[in-house]
Amino acid sequence: MQLDRDEDILRAAEAWRKAGRGVALATVVETWGSAPRPAGSSLVINDEGTFLGSVSGGCVEGAVVTEALDVIDSGTPKLLEFGVADETAWKVGLSCGGTIRVFVEKVD
């Protein structure tokens, strides 16, 4: 699977901001156990729900995008945690046995 490079993600964020879109950046800040993507992996989301990158190889992106839209609206960053022991993780598909923390912040 080809994942987007950090430069592509940052270029998309810059282009969306220049176009007047609200933008959030989600970054994996911590992992435990078997995690689908390493710390530092990023996902950029605009206020239309369009996104580029990956924080989980696809298993929690939908939940992160939903939270990112709230961060864009409120301006308040969030620290999200998804893990196999968390019922939310099963709902969104994170069944790899690990845990990830994702920091979501608005890009100004």
Side-chain angles (χ1 to χ4, degrees):
M1 166 154 88
Q2 172 64 35
L3 297 172
D4 299 295
R5 297 185 328 236
D6 291 341
E7 302 85 38
D8 297 331
I9 292 166
L10 296 175
R11 273 204 252 341
E14 182 180 30
W16 287 336
R17 285 298 301 136
K18 284 182 178 176
R21 306 253 46 110
V23 178
L25 180 66
T27 305
V28 176
V29 293
E30 225 170 343
T31 66
W32 295 270
S34 176
R37 300 280 292 134
S41 299
S42 297
L43 177 72
V44 65
I45 307 98
N46 72 21
D47 57 3
E48 295 180 315
T50 303
F51 64 92
L52 181 69
S54 177
V55 291
S56 70
C59 52
V60 300
E61 264 75 8
V64 173
V65 168
T66 299
E67 295 291 341
L69 293 173
D70 185 52
V71 168
I72 290 168
D73 286 341
S74 70
T76 304
K78 292 185 178 189
L79 182 61
L80 311 174
E81 185 171 323
F82 300 96
V84 75
D86 182 350
E87 185 179 318
T88 305
W90 286 103
K91 288 180 186 173
V92 297
L94 184 66
S95 57
C96 58
T99 301
I100 61 171
R101 279 194 181 152
V102 179
F103 184 69
V104 184
E105 60 191 321
K106 186 174 182 175
V107 176
D108 289 318

